[in-house]
Amino acid sequence: LAQAQPAEVVLGANLREASPPGWSEYLNDYLRPIGCDEILYASPYRSADEFVVISVSRSRRSGGFESPDLDLLGRLTPHLSRAFTIQHRFEALELERRASVQALEQASVGVMITDSQARLRFANAVADRMLQDRELAVVHGRLRAPGGADDRALVQAISRVAGLGVPETVSLGGAGGRS
């Protein structure tokens, strides 16, 4: 089975002929005691450290697997393969997300992440202190600056950054203000 192509459907009888290591133990110690002699396999997903096997087994009294059985598993296997691939990608993205959040949390400067409507999505500890010190505020879920001109400048900057994807620094509070 390890030599089978991904998503290839393999009959247990074909595996018996090739006698892979551990096959007889699996057959004798697991399948036969539960009354299963006929086996159908497919491996929908493989990576450097994972090997997923789908196994369908039944009693010899039920008869051997036929073309419709192989076709059905053959049609399902690519979908299962895609699902495992997507799961693997989501796991990698989650690891990246956790590492990114951890790096942002440890930053010595205030980091705030908002959406295009200035809704605050993330603030590290330094940024939280800025909010507690009322340098900035969250009003109805949206990041705001004290004072009308500062608030407009902040909202416009957030909108530009969201539209262009280019970071921007905004100074608030006039010439002696904060950035």
Side-chain angles (χ1 to χ4, degrees), residues 7-123:
E8 179 182 354
V9 178
V10 179
L11 280 169
N14 295 343
L15 288 176
R16 283 186 209 111
E17 294 168 10
S19 299
W23 168 253
S24 60
E25 289 86 1
Y26 177 68
L27 181 64
N28 292 327
D29 296 343
Y30 179 70
L31 292 176
R32 284 199 174 131
I34 61 173
C36 296
D37 300 299
E38 299 297 324
I39 307 146
L40 192 58
Y41 293 97
S43 177
Y45 181 78
R46 288 185 203 176
S47 69
D49 56 348
E50 290 179 292
F51 183 69
V52 176
V53 176
I54 302 297
S55 170
V56 180
S57 56
R58 64 183 175 201
S59 165
R60 185 170 283 141
R61 291 187 310 265
S62 299
F65 289 103
E66 297 176 4
S67 281
D69 303 316
L70 278 74
D71 292 343
L72 178 59
L73 188 54
R75 284 193 317 269
L76 290 174
T77 301
H79 300 289
L80 294 170
S81 177
R82 195 168 21 262
F84 283 113
T85 299
I86 291 169
Q87 176 190 13
H88 187 70
R89 288 179 185 162
F90 277 139
E91 289 170 353
L93 287 171
E94 178 61 17
L95 287 174
E96 289 177 20
R97 186 197 67 79
R98 286 181 187 171
S100 298
V101 167
Q102 185 176 13
L104 292 173
E105 286 286 359
Q106 295 176 1
S108 60
V109 296
V111 177
M112 294 183 193
I113 299 174
T114 69
D115 64 12
S116 64
Q117 302 299 309
R119 286 185 289 261
L120 187 62
R121 299 298 186 204
F122 172 83

